[in-house]
Amino acid sequence: MPIDLAVVPVAGRGTRLLPLTKSQPKEMLPVGFKPVVQYVVEELARCGMHRVLFITGPGKAAIENHFDVDAELIDHLRESGKEELLDELAFEREDLQYFYTRQRRQLGLGHAVLCAEPVVGSQNFVVALGDSIIGLHAQSQVVRTMADHFESAAAAAVIAFEEVPREEVVHYGIARPAGEVNEVFDLEDLVEKPEVEDAPSNLAVAARYVFSPAIFDYLRKTEPGKGGEIQLTDAIRALIRDGGRVMGVRLPAGQPRFDIGNFESYFQAFVEFALADPGHGRQIREFAKTLLAKYAEAR
Ligand code: G1P
Protein backbone atom coordinates (compact mmCIF):
# COMPACT_ATOMS: atom_id res chain seq x y z
CA MET A 1 0.00 0.00 0.00
CA PRO A 2 1.43 3.44 -0.87
CA ILE A 3 2.46 5.55 2.10
CA ASP A 4 -0.44 7.80 3.08
CA LEU A 5 0.15 8.49 6.79
CA ALA A 6 2.13 11.50 8.01
CA VAL A 7 3.19 12.19 11.58
CA VAL A 8 3.52 15.91 12.34
CA PRO A 9 5.30 16.67 15.62
CA VAL A 10 4.05 19.99 17.04
CA ALA A 11 4.78 19.49 20.73
CA GLY A 12 7.88 21.72 21.11
CA ARG A 13 7.49 24.82 23.29
CA GLY A 14 9.05 27.22 20.78
CA THR A 15 11.29 28.81 23.40
CA ARG A 16 13.50 30.38 20.71
CA LEU A 17 10.48 32.48 19.69
CA LEU A 18 9.47 33.89 23.08
CA PRO A 19 7.51 36.03 23.85
CA LEU A 20 5.60 35.32 20.61
CA THR A 21 5.03 31.71 21.56
CA LYS A 22 4.10 32.19 25.21
CA SER A 23 0.42 31.44 24.64
CA GLN A 24 0.25 30.46 20.98
CA PRO A 25 1.87 27.52 19.24
CA LYS A 26 4.79 28.42 16.98
CA GLU A 27 3.16 26.25 14.30
CA MET A 28 0.24 28.74 14.27
CA LEU A 29 2.42 31.79 13.57
CA PRO A 30 1.34 33.57 10.41
CA VAL A 31 3.43 33.47 7.27
CA GLY A 32 1.54 35.55 4.72
CA PHE A 33 -2.10 34.44 4.76
CA LYS A 34 -1.75 31.20 6.62
CA PRO A 35 -0.35 29.71 9.79
CA VAL A 36 2.82 27.70 9.23
CA VAL A 37 1.23 24.32 9.92
CA GLN A 38 -1.42 24.87 7.24
CA TYR A 39 1.32 24.99 4.60
CA VAL A 40 2.70 21.75 5.99
CA VAL A 41 -0.67 19.99 5.86
CA GLU A 42 -1.44 21.28 2.35
CA GLU A 43 1.96 20.05 1.16
CA LEU A 44 1.25 16.61 2.66
CA ALA A 45 -2.19 16.43 1.03
CA ARG A 46 -0.65 17.30 -2.34
CA CYS A 47 1.91 14.52 -1.82
CA GLY A 48 -0.79 11.87 -1.43
CA MET A 49 -1.17 11.69 2.36
CA HIS A 50 -4.67 10.89 3.62
CA ARG A 51 -4.03 10.67 7.34
CA VAL A 52 -2.22 13.17 9.54
CA LEU A 53 -1.28 12.37 13.11
CA PHE A 54 -0.27 15.41 15.15
CA ILE A 55 1.93 14.84 18.18
CA THR A 56 0.77 17.73 20.34
CA GLY A 57 1.57 19.07 23.77
CA PRO A 58 0.44 21.73 26.25
CA GLY A 59 -1.04 24.88 24.72
CA LYS A 60 -1.51 23.43 21.22
CA ALA A 61 -5.31 23.25 21.06
CA ALA A 62 -5.38 26.05 18.45
CA ILE A 63 -3.97 23.56 15.93
CA GLU A 64 -6.89 21.16 16.42
CA ASN A 65 -9.36 24.02 16.12
CA HIS A 66 -7.72 25.26 12.94
CA PHE A 67 -8.23 21.97 11.09
CA ASP A 68 -11.75 21.39 12.38
CA VAL A 69 -14.79 22.27 10.27
CA ASP A 70 -16.17 25.43 11.86
CA ALA A 71 -19.89 25.15 11.07
CA GLU A 72 -20.73 28.28 13.06
CA LEU A 73 -18.27 30.40 11.09
CA ILE A 74 -19.55 28.95 7.81
CA ASP A 75 -23.16 29.82 8.76
CA HIS A 76 -22.09 33.28 9.84
CA LEU A 77 -20.36 33.97 6.52
CA ARG A 78 -23.41 32.74 4.58
CA GLU A 79 -25.90 34.72 6.64
CA SER A 80 -23.89 37.92 6.49
CA GLY A 81 -23.49 37.78 2.69
CA LYS A 82 -19.75 37.07 2.81
CA GLU A 83 -19.91 33.83 0.87
CA GLU A 84 -16.79 34.69 -1.13
CA LEU A 85 -14.81 34.22 2.10
CA LEU A 86 -15.83 30.56 2.22
CA ASP A 87 -12.99 29.92 -0.25
CA GLU A 88 -10.57 30.81 2.53
CA LEU A 89 -11.86 27.81 4.47
CA ALA A 90 -11.47 25.36 1.59
CA PHE A 91 -8.53 23.71 3.39
CA GLU A 92 -11.02 22.42 5.99
CA ARG A 93 -12.38 20.12 3.30
CA GLU A 94 -9.03 18.54 2.26
CA ASP A 95 -9.35 14.79 1.81
CA LEU A 96 -7.56 14.19 5.12
CA GLN A 97 -8.35 12.53 8.40
CA TYR A 98 -6.75 14.04 11.50
CA PHE A 99 -5.57 12.23 14.58
CA TYR A 100 -4.04 13.70 17.71
CA THR A 101 -1.97 12.31 20.50
CA ARG A 102 -0.04 14.13 23.18
CA GLN A 103 3.61 13.87 24.04
CA ARG A 104 3.11 14.06 27.77
CA ARG A 105 6.71 14.79 28.64
CA GLN A 106 9.07 17.04 26.71
CA LEU A 107 11.78 14.48 26.02
CA GLY A 108 12.76 15.52 22.49
CA LEU A 109 11.89 14.91 18.83
CA GLY A 110 12.80 11.22 18.93
CA HIS A 111 10.44 10.66 21.84
CA ALA A 112 7.71 12.65 20.04
CA VAL A 113 7.98 10.32 17.04
CA LEU A 114 7.89 7.29 19.33
CA CYS A 115 4.53 8.57 20.67
CA ALA A 116 3.15 7.84 17.18
CA GLU A 117 3.80 4.10 17.42
CA PRO A 118 0.37 2.99 18.71
CA VAL A 119 -1.27 4.66 15.69
CA VAL A 120 1.36 3.90 13.04
CA GLY A 121 1.81 0.25 14.01
CA SER A 122 3.49 -1.70 11.23
CA GLN A 123 3.06 0.84 8.41
CA ASN A 124 5.67 2.92 6.63
CA PHE A 125 5.13 6.62 7.35
CA VAL A 126 6.23 10.19 6.76
CA VAL A 127 7.42 12.60 9.44
CA ALA A 128 6.98 16.30 8.60
CA LEU A 129 8.05 18.85 11.21
CA GLY A 130 5.21 21.30 11.83
CA ASP A 131 7.47 24.36 12.02
CA SER A 132 9.05 24.14 8.54
CA ILE A 133 7.63 25.09 5.16
CA ILE A 134 9.23 23.57 2.07
CA GLY A 135 9.18 25.91 -0.92
CA LEU A 136 6.90 28.87 -1.47
CA HIS A 137 3.17 28.21 -1.11
CA ALA A 138 3.44 24.49 -0.31
CA GLN A 139 3.85 23.38 -3.93
CA SER A 140 6.69 21.00 -3.05
CA GLN A 141 6.42 17.36 -4.13
CA VAL A 142 9.59 16.37 -2.31
CA VAL A 143 7.78 14.08 0.13
CA ARG A 144 6.27 12.16 -2.81
CA THR A 145 9.73 11.86 -4.38
CA MET A 146 11.12 10.62 -1.06
CA ALA A 147 8.34 8.05 -0.67
CA ASP A 148 8.97 6.80 -4.23
CA HIS A 149 12.70 6.32 -3.53
CA PHE A 150 11.89 4.68 -0.21
CA GLU A 151 9.68 2.14 -1.95
CA SER A 152 11.84 1.46 -5.00
CA ALA A 153 15.08 1.09 -2.99
CA ALA A 154 13.39 -0.78 -0.11
CA ALA A 155 15.15 1.70 2.19
CA ALA A 156 14.76 1.82 5.97
CA ALA A 157 14.56 5.63 5.89
CA VAL A 158 14.76 8.53 3.45
CA ILE A 159 15.57 12.03 4.70
CA ALA A 160 15.35 15.45 3.01
CA PHE A 161 18.54 17.52 3.07
CA GLU A 162 19.45 21.10 2.28
CA GLU A 163 22.88 22.67 2.01
CA VAL A 164 23.40 25.32 4.70
CA PRO A 165 26.21 27.82 5.28
CA ARG A 166 28.97 26.15 7.29
CA GLU A 167 28.33 28.22 10.43
CA GLU A 168 24.71 26.99 10.55
CA VAL A 169 25.49 23.28 10.89
CA VAL A 170 25.24 23.73 14.68
CA HIS A 171 21.43 24.01 14.35
CA TYR A 172 20.73 20.83 12.38
CA GLY A 173 21.24 17.11 11.92
CA ILE A 174 24.17 16.84 9.47
CA ALA A 175 24.83 14.07 6.92
CA ARG A 176 27.95 12.08 6.34
CA PRO A 177 27.21 10.89 2.81
CA ALA A 178 28.54 7.53 1.61
CA GLY A 179 30.27 8.51 -1.61
CA GLU A 180 29.14 11.03 -4.18
CA VAL A 181 26.27 13.40 -3.42
CA ASN A 182 23.70 13.55 -6.21
CA GLU A 183 20.01 14.38 -5.98
CA VAL A 184 19.65 11.07 -4.12
CA PHE A 185 22.49 9.57 -2.08
CA ASP A 186 23.23 7.01 0.59
CA LEU A 187 24.12 7.99 4.14
CA GLU A 188 27.02 6.62 6.11
CA ASP A 189 26.21 8.55 9.27
CA LEU A 190 24.20 11.42 10.69
CA VAL A 191 25.30 13.77 13.49
CA GLU A 192 22.95 15.96 15.52
CA LYS A 193 24.02 19.62 15.71
CA PRO A 194 27.81 19.16 15.45
CA GLU A 195 30.35 21.91 16.07
CA VAL A 196 31.43 23.59 12.83
CA GLU A 197 34.86 21.91 12.92
CA ASP A 198 33.36 18.44 13.47
CA ALA A 199 30.63 18.63 10.82
CA PRO A 200 30.98 15.85 8.22
CA SER A 201 29.32 18.04 5.52
CA ASN A 202 27.02 21.05 5.23
CA LEU A 203 23.99 18.94 4.26
CA ALA A 204 21.35 19.58 6.92
CA VAL A 205 18.26 17.52 7.69
CA ALA A 206 15.38 19.54 6.27
CA ALA A 207 12.32 18.60 8.34
CA ARG A 208 10.94 15.76 6.17
CA TYR A 209 11.55 12.03 6.67
CA VAL A 210 10.11 8.70 5.48
CA PHE A 211 10.47 5.74 7.83
CA SER A 212 9.74 2.08 8.08
CA PRO A 213 8.29 1.15 11.49
CA ALA A 214 11.70 -0.35 12.37
CA ILE A 215 12.63 3.16 13.57
CA PHE A 216 10.47 2.60 16.67
CA ASP A 217 12.73 -0.24 17.87
CA TYR A 218 15.70 2.11 17.63
CA LEU A 219 13.88 5.01 19.29
CA ARG A 220 12.97 2.83 22.24
CA LYS A 221 16.67 2.08 22.77
CA THR A 222 17.92 5.65 22.23
CA GLU A 223 19.41 7.33 25.28
CA PRO A 224 19.18 11.11 25.75
CA GLY A 225 21.75 12.81 23.50
CA LYS A 226 22.37 16.42 22.44
CA GLY A 227 20.63 18.82 24.83
CA GLY A 228 19.59 15.90 27.08
CA GLU A 229 16.84 14.99 24.56
CA ILE A 230 16.00 11.71 22.85
CA GLN A 231 17.15 12.56 19.36
CA LEU A 232 15.60 11.16 16.20
CA THR A 233 19.02 11.59 14.59
CA ASP A 234 20.60 9.17 17.10
CA ALA A 235 18.01 6.48 16.33
CA ILE A 236 18.64 6.87 12.59
CA ARG A 237 22.36 6.62 13.23
CA ALA A 238 21.92 3.32 15.08
CA LEU A 239 19.74 2.06 12.25
CA ILE A 240 22.54 2.79 9.75
CA ARG A 241 25.09 1.06 12.00
CA ASP A 242 22.93 -2.06 11.97
CA GLY A 243 23.05 -2.11 8.17
CA GLY A 244 19.75 -0.32 7.43
CA ARG A 245 19.77 1.56 4.15
CA VAL A 246 19.20 5.27 4.81
CA MET A 247 19.07 7.63 1.87
CA GLY A 248 19.13 11.37 1.45
CA VAL A 249 17.14 13.40 -1.07
CA ARG A 250 18.19 16.99 -1.67
CA LEU A 251 15.51 19.64 -1.74
CA PRO A 252 14.97 20.64 -5.37
CA ALA A 253 16.43 23.96 -6.55
CA GLY A 254 13.98 26.78 -5.87
CA GLN A 255 12.33 24.93 -2.96
CA PRO A 256 14.21 26.09 0.10
CA ARG A 257 13.20 25.15 3.58
CA PHE A 258 11.66 27.98 5.64
CA ASP A 259 12.46 27.24 9.26
CA ILE A 260 10.05 28.95 11.66
CA GLY A 261 12.16 27.97 14.65
CA ASN A 262 13.95 31.26 15.33
CA PHE A 263 13.30 34.94 14.72
CA GLU A 264 15.76 35.51 11.90
CA SER A 265 14.44 32.66 9.77
CA TYR A 266 10.83 33.51 10.69
CA PHE A 267 11.32 37.11 9.53
CA GLN A 268 12.94 35.87 6.33
CA ALA A 269 10.03 33.55 5.62
CA PHE A 270 7.44 36.24 6.26
CA VAL A 271 9.22 38.76 4.05
CA GLU A 272 9.67 36.33 1.15
CA PHE A 273 6.08 35.07 1.26
CA ALA A 274 4.82 38.67 1.28
CA LEU A 275 7.07 39.70 -1.62
CA ALA A 276 6.02 36.63 -3.63
CA ASP A 277 2.31 36.93 -2.87
CA PRO A 278 0.30 36.80 -6.11
CA GLY A 279 -2.23 39.41 -4.89
CA HIS A 280 -0.20 41.84 -2.81
CA GLY A 281 3.39 41.06 -3.84
CA ARG A 282 3.75 43.86 -6.40
CA GLN A 283 2.77 46.61 -3.95
CA ILE A 284 4.88 45.07 -1.20
CA ARG A 285 7.91 44.92 -3.49
CA GLU A 286 7.47 48.65 -4.23
CA PHE A 287 7.14 49.33 -0.52
CA ALA A 288 10.21 47.21 0.21
CA LYS A 289 12.26 49.27 -2.27
CA THR A 290 11.47 52.48 -0.38
CA LEU A 291 12.25 50.77 2.90
CA LEU A 292 15.56 49.45 1.64
CA ALA A 293 16.54 52.94 0.48
CA LYS A 294 15.55 54.36 3.86
CA TYR A 295 17.54 51.78 5.82
CA ALA A 296 20.53 52.00 3.49
CA GLU A 297 20.70 55.72 4.38
CA ALA A 298 20.24 55.03 8.05
CA ARG A 299 23.26 52.72 8.11
C1 G1P B 1 15.28 18.97 14.50
C2 G1P B 1 16.23 17.78 14.30
C3 G1P B 1 17.41 18.18 13.42
C4 G1P B 1 16.88 18.75 12.12
C5 G1P B 1 15.93 19.91 12.40
C6 G1P B 1 15.31 20.44 11.12
O1 G1P B 1 15.94 19.95 15.28
O2 G1P B 1 16.68 17.33 15.55
O3 G1P B 1 18.19 17.05 13.15
O4 G1P B 1 17.94 19.18 11.29
O5 G1P B 1 14.87 19.50 13.26
O6 G1P B 1 14.66 19.49 10.38
P1 G1P B 1 15.17 21.13 16.06
O7 G1P B 1 14.90 22.19 15.04
O8 G1P B 1 13.90 20.51 16.59
O9 G1P B 1 16.11 21.59 17.13
Side-chain angles (χ1 to χ4, degrees), residues 72-111:
E72 219 173 281
L73 177 58
I74 292 171
D75 287 348
H76 171 74
L77 293 176
R78 286 219 173 96
E79 282 159 18
S80 53
K82 295 178 187 154
E83 288 189 331
E84 74 284 0
L85 290 179
L86 290 173
D87 287 349
E88 303 302 337
L89 302 179
F91 73 95
E92 289 180 353
R93 298 186 293 276
E94 290 273 16
D95 182 18
L96 283 173
Q97 253 187 309
Y98 298 102
F99 303 87
Y100 300 88
T101 190
R102 277 172 77 120
Q103 182 186 22
R104 295 169 71 196
R105 287 181 299 155
Q106 296 278 309
L107 299 179
L109 178 61
H111 177 258

Side-chain angles (χ1 to χ4, degrees), residues 16 109 129 171-173 192-193 205-207 209 231 233 257:
R16 281 174 286 180
L109 178 61
L129 304 190
H171 301 303
Y172 300 107
E192 182 67 11
K193 303 190 174 86
V205 174
Y209 311 76
Q231 296 290 352
T233 297
R257 159 189 192 208

Side-chain angles (χ1 to χ4, degrees), residues 138-150:
Q139 300 294 342
S140 177
Q141 292 285 336
V142 76
V143 166
R144 190 70 262 152
T145 309
M146 292 164 67
D148 291 346
H149 286 296
F150 178 91

